[in-house]
Amino acid sequence: MARLFLGMCATGAVLMLALEGSAAAVPFARPDAHRGAALRDVRLGGVPAGKMHNFFRARMLDKTAQRDVFGEARSAFRDRDDDEKAVLPDRKMGGIWRGEFWGKLMLGTARVADYLQDPALTKFVKEECHRMIALQDPDGYLGSYADKENVWIPESAKPAMRAAYGWNTVWNLWNRKYAIWAMLMAYRTTGDRAILASTERQMDQWIEMMHRLGLPLFVTGQPEKVGLPSMSILKPLLMLYAETGKKTYLDYAKEMLPDWDRADGACPNFFRNADRADALHTWYPNPSRWAKSYEMMSCLDGLLEYTRLTGDARALETVRKIYDNLLRTELNVLGDVGYVDQFYGAATQPNASTEVCDTIHWIRLNYDLYLITGEAKYVNAIEYTYHNAFLAGVFRDGTWGAREVRSHGRHIARFGQSGMRFQHCCVNNMPRTFMDIAQLGAVREGEAVRVNLYAPFTAGFADAEVTLTGDFPIADKVTAKFAVKRPTTVKFRLPPWSKRTTFAVLPAGKPVVPPAGDWYETQVPAGVTVIKVAFDMAPRLEHSGRAACDDLTDYRFRRWNADGRDARRLYRTTPAARLFRGPLLLAKSKNVNDTADDILLADLNGGDWSVTLRPFTDFRVMGAWEATFTRGDEKFAVSVCDFPSAGDELLPDGADYFSIFF
C-alpha cells in the first residue's frame, strides 16, 4: 500500500507475479489489459470486510481451527479411502470427494496469508504443505484414493453402480487438481522451492499415468459430467507451465482441447456449440446429468488461461459467447447463474436457489474476462453478484456459510460433507472471492488507474495509491483519494444502476455529471487529489417477466429444504416484484421485525406502484429502511433491509426467514 508509493521496491514484474494466473518463466502471449495491485498492497474496509475478517479468524487464524479443520482435511490423504466410499461392495470403483477439501482450504489460505502479510499464517502455510509432502508417494502421487489409477468407470460397471447407488462417480482427479493448485499458490506466497517441486512431481505423475493408461481426460471422472471435473485441471496446469516453463504442461493442455471441438458433437463441445442461440442446458438431453455449473465454469476459466499463454483468440471468443449465453439464459434473481448447482434455464424461474460454489466461480469467470478485455459489463456483473448472492452466503460470525443462497425462506447450510465435520465445498472456497474483490477494486490500465468497485478499499501501486472511504453500498457517497507521483489518468466505472453519478474535486470543485457510458475519465496532478463521488440510489421496483415454476425446480427446492419445514409453503409458483437500492437487493426479514405474513406476501408484480425509502437504524443488519408503496389511494409500508443481512445466520423457529419478493 503506502509503503510502495513511499519508495520501497515494487517493479511491474513483482506486481505481475502476485496475480493469480500471472507469468513467471513464461510471459503471456496475450497480456491482460488490466492488472490489480499485489495482494499484500490492498486492503478491504467497511462492513463487508468485517464479515471477511470474522471468517479469516474463525477458519484460518485460530490455532484450533488450523489443527482441526486442516487436520481433518489432510486425513483424506493419510487414509486414502475415498475410493472405498459409496462404491460397489466387491470392487473399488467410484468414490467421493473428501480429497478436495484440503486444496480448497489451502488455495484460499495461501492467498489470505499473502494479503495479511501475517508471518505466523505464512509459516503455517509452509508447514502445512510440508505435512502434505510427507504423504506423497515416491512417484509423485498425492491423493485421497488408495488406487491412484482409479480415474474412470468402465462401461461394464456403470449399470450395476447406478442400480446400487444412483450415480456413477469418480472424483480422484478432481481432488488432485485442488491439491496441485493450492500448493502452487502456497509456493507463490512462501517462496519455498520444496513446495513447488512437490507440485511438479504431482503433475508429472498425473500426466505419465494418464498417458500410460491411454485415457483422455474427457472419459474420466463421472460419465454424466463428460469429463468436466477432471478437465478443470486446465487452469492450474497452465499456471504451473507459466511458473516453470515446462513444455510438457502446455503440451498436455493442447491434448485436452480437441475433445471440446469434436466432429461427432459429443457433449459439451464448447468450441462448436459456442455460436448456438439456444440455451446452453438444451444443447444435450438430461442437463441435470451434465450441465453442472461450477465444474463447467472452471473449464471455461481454464480456456481463458490458455488464451493468456498462447494468444489463442478462438478460445477467448468461445468463452465470451458461452458467457453471453449464460447471462441471457441462466442469470437468476440473486445475480448468480444456475439453479442449485446446475444450468437449467434459471433466468426463467421466479425462485432462486444458488450454490455458493457457483457464485464464486461466476465471479471468477467475470474477473478474468474483465482483466483480459477491460469491458465494464464484467465488473457490473461482479458488483451485483458479490453484494447479493455471495455476501448473503457468508455467515456473519465467520464460522460457516450457506451451501445454497435462496431468494426467500431461509438459506440452506450443510454442516460437514462427505462424512467430515469441518469441511464443506462452498465454505472452504469462500476466501478466494474476497481476495478477487480485493484485487479488483482498482487496477492499472497501462499508466492509467481504473476504479472498478466502491466499497471501501486501499490499493497501492509502485507510483500510485488509491483509497476509497464511505459506507457503500449503504451510503450513496464515497470519497476517493489518489496519491500519485506524476499526472495520472483516472477512470471511474459508471454503475448502470445509478442514473446520475457526479464527481467533484474537494474541497470546492464543481460537481461534474459525465455523459452516459461505462467510464468517467479525468486527470489528477502529481500529489494528492480527493474526489467525492455521489450516486443516484433511488429505489427501483422491478417487475418480473419470469415464467411460473416447473416440476424440476420445484423438486430441487423441496429436496434441499434442510429444516424439514413445509418447503412448498415457501416456494413461489408465480413471478413477483423485487426492490433494489443501488447495487443491493432489498428484502423483508425477521431481522427488521417483519411478520411471517409480511415476508410471504408478494403480489405487486405488474402493478403500477411507486416506492419511497426512509432509513432507520437496526444493528442486526447492514442497512434498514421503511419502504412505503403507493398506487393511487392505496398505500402500505413494510420494513426492509439489505439482502446479505436478511438471513446470514441460522436461527431457531424460523427467526431467520426473509424474502426478496414484493
Side-chain angles (χ1 to χ4, degrees):
M1 292 183 293
R3 61 182 178 275
L4 286 182
F5 177 64
L6 292 174
M8 291 190 67
C9 178
T11 67
V14 172
L15 292 176
M16 284 193 68
L17 282 172
L19 283 173
E20 183 172 332
S22 64
V26 180
F28 287 166
R30 179 183 174 129
D32 286 350
H34 303 86
R35 64 186 191 277
L39 272 175
R40 62 184 65 89
D41 299 313
V42 294
R43 287 294 180 270
L44 295 177
V47 175
K51 179 178 279 194
M52 175 188 75
H53 283 287
N54 285 345
F55 192 94
F56 292 171
R57 282 191 293 270
R59 298 279 295 177
M60 297 174 178
L61 300 174
D62 180 79
K63 298 300 182 184
T64 301
Q66 289 178 357
R67 181 196 67 204
D68 294 344
V69 179
F70 272 91
E72 181 186 59
R74 190 181 346 105
S75 71
F77 295 79
R78 180 198 66 212
D79 300 339
R80 294 193 181 184
D81 58 0
D82 269 3
D83 45 356
E84 297 175 5
K85 308 283 186 182
V87 296
L88 293 175
D90 60 341
R91 62 190 305 178
K92 295 178 181 179
M93 195 71 68
I96 56 173
W97 58 92
R98 296 188 313 154
E100 77 168 35
F101 297 128
W102 186 90
K104 288 184 175 180
L105 276 172
M106 181 53 72
L107 186 56
T109 303
R111 297 186 73 198
V112 171
D114 193 11
Y115 171 81
L116 294 178
Q117 289 294 286
D118 181 330
L121 186 59
T122 302
K123 181 173 181 285
F124 170 77
V125 166
K126 179 177 178 177
E127 292 174 346
E128 179 61 26
C129 285
H130 278 267
R131 285 187 280 270
M132 284 287 283
I133 292 171
L135 300 173
Q136 190 168 13
D137 286 355
D139 69 353
Y141 174 74
L142 181 60
S144 58
Y145 278 52
D147 179 1
K148 65 186 71 175
E149 295 184 358
N150 182 4
V151 296
W152 72 308
I153 301 172
E155 289 294 329
S156 60
K158 293 175 186 176
M161 176 168 259
R162 178 159 294 282
Y165 295 99
W167 68 86
N168 299 317
T169 174
V170 178
W171 293 98
N172 191 359
L173 296 178
W174 168 263
N175 294 347
R176 294 189 61 188
K177 173 199 76 172
Y178 277 109
I180 290 168
W181 194 356
M183 293 184 80
L184 175 59
M185 298 312 297
Y187 161 70
R188 290 188 176 180
T189 295
T190 64
D192 188 324
R193 300 291 299 185
I195 298 174
L196 178 61
S198 169
T199 308
E200 291 183 66
R201 294 201 313 275
Q202 292 175 59
M203 196 69 250
D204 292 344
Q205 189 277 333
W206 171 318
I207 295 171
E208 184 281 327
M209 179 182 73
M210 298 306 294
H211 284 164
R212 176 167 43 80
L213 295 174
L215 292 175
L217 291 179
F218 184 69
V219 304
T220 64
Q222 306 84 308
E224 296 91 342
K225 295 179 177 57
V226 294
L228 292 177
S230 302
M231 295 175 82
S232 67
I233 189 64
L234 182 60
K235 183 180 178 74
L237 170 71
L238 289 167
M239 292 169 62
L240 190 57
Y241 165 65
E243 194 69 54
T244 65
K246 289 180 69 170
K247 188 172 179 293
T248 306
Y249 302 150
L250 179 61
D251 290 343
Y252 192 55
K254 290 179 177 179
E255 286 181 30
M256 298 166 54
L257 300 193
D259 279 322
W260 290 335
D261 193 12
R262 295 169 63 103
D264 64 3
C267 177
N269 234 29
F270 290 136
F271 289 103
R272 300 198 185 198
N273 283 327
D275 287 315
R276 293 178 62 162
D278 49 334
L280 181 146
H281 75 281
T282 67
W283 290 355
Y284 300 91
N286 300 318
S288 62
R289 298 296 183 198
W290 63 270
K292 188 73 165 58
S293 315
Y294 95 90
E295 287 86 343
M296 187 177 293
M297 286 188 283
S298 297
C299 292
L300 296 177
D301 208 25
L303 284 176
L304 295 180
E305 207 68 29
Y306 189 78
T307 292
R308 285 180 167 126
L309 284 162
T310 67
D312 188 306
R314 188 184 180 208
L316 173 60
E317 287 309 303
T318 293
V319 176
R320 286 165 62 98
K321 290 173 181 177
I322 294 176
Y323 172 93
D324 289 342
N325 188 306
L326 296 177
L327 193 68
R328 185 181 73 254
T329 65
E330 293 291 345
L331 189 69
N332 62 42
V333 296
L334 304 178
D336 193 9
V337 287
Y339 192 96
V340 194
D341 79 9
Q342 74 174 74
F343 294 134
Y344 188 71
T348 67
Q349 299 302 311
N351 298 275
S353 190
T354 192
E355 186 180 18
V356 176
C357 279
D358 294 349
T359 308
I360 289 163
H361 286 79
W362 177 241
I363 288 174
R364 183 70 209 196
L365 184 62
N366 277 278
Y367 176 83
D368 279 326
L369 279 166
Y370 170 71
L371 290 182
I372 292 171
T373 69
E375 293 185 25
K377 71 176 185 179
Y378 301 118
V379 185
N380 295 338
I382 290 171
E383 180 183 60
Y384 180 22
T385 311
Y386 173 70
H387 284 298
N388 295 292
F390 177 75
L391 286 176
V394 183
F395 287 177
R396 60 181 63 191
D397 66 0
T399 60
W400 204 251
R403 191 266 180 182
E404 288 177 35
V405 170
R406 292 190 163 190
S407 51
H408 60 295
R410 71 184 327 190
H411 303 314
I412 301 300
R414 288 286 185 268
F415 290 94
Q417 198 176 43
S418 298
M420 289 190 162
R421 180 181 177 189
F422 302 113
Q423 316 300 323
H424 191 278
C425 60
C426 298
V427 177
N428 290 19
N429 257 336
M430 287 173 179
R432 296 169 57 192
T433 290
F434 283 121
M435 296 298 90
D436 289 343
I437 295 300
Q439 290 191 285
L440 182 63
V443 302
R444 296 303 294 260
E445 177 194 9
E447 297 301 314
V449 173
R450 282 199 183 196
V451 177
N452 291 319
L453 300 176
Y454 292 100
F457 71 84
T458 298
F461 301 91
D463 58 354
E465 183 175 274
V466 184
T467 302
L468 255 71
T469 56
D471 192 24
F472 187 92
I474 304 304
D476 59 2
K477 296 178 180 64
V478 300
T479 301
K481 183 174 76 171
F482 299 90
V484 297
K485 286 187 173 181
R486 60 184 63 86
T488 301
T489 298
V490 174
K491 299 180 181 181
F492 291 87
R493 182 179 60 92
L494 296 174
W497 45 261
S498 178
K499 293 182 179 179
R500 186 177 187 272
T501 304
T502 64
F503 300 85
V505 177
L506 299 182
K510 183 179 179 180
V512 174
V513 181
D518 292 328
W519 306 94
Y520 165 61
E521 181 175 330
T522 187
Q523 299 285 323
V524 297
V528 175
T529 301
V530 180
I531 299 176
K532 184 176 182 179
V533 187
F535 304 103
D536 174 11
M537 286 192 174
R540 312 184 307 278
L541 188 64
E542 294 190 1
H543 302 286
S544 175
R546 294 165 185 261
C549 65
D550 60 24
D551 291 340
L552 179 62
T553 53
D554 176 65
Y555 161 73
R556 290 174 72 80
F557 190 97
R558 288 183 288 108
R559 174 189 176 196
W560 292 110
N561 190 53
D563 58 7
R565 295 189 178 99
D566 181 9
R568 281 186 175 274
R569 185 174 68 92
L570 300 175
Y571 186 80
R572 286 205 60 79
T573 58
T574 57
R578 293 170 291 153
L579 182 60
F580 292 84
R581 182 181 181 274
L584 285 173
L585 272 168
L586 301 186
K588 297 168 289 183
S589 170
K590 289 198 172 183
N591 274 342
V592 285
N593 299 321
D594 289 324
T595 67
D597 287 342
D598 290 332
I599 292 169
L600 295 176
L601 179 66
D603 59 1
L604 301 186
N605 198 51
D608 186 20
W609 294 88
S610 61
V611 59
T612 58
L613 296 176
R614 180 184 63 81
F616 67 90
T617 300
D618 190 316
F619 293 107
R620 293 172 294 177
V621 297
M622 187 163 57
W625 298 265
E626 181 183 76
T628 301
F629 297 85
T630 305
R631 181 175 66 178
D633 295 333
E634 299 177 80
K635 187 176 184 178
F636 73 94
V638 65
S639 296
V640 298
C641 67
D642 63 286
F643 174 65
S645 301
D648 60 345
E649 56 185 336
L650 292 182
L651 299 174
D653 303 320
D656 52 359
Y657 275 6
F658 61 88
S659 176
I660 67 167
F661 295 128
F662 292 85

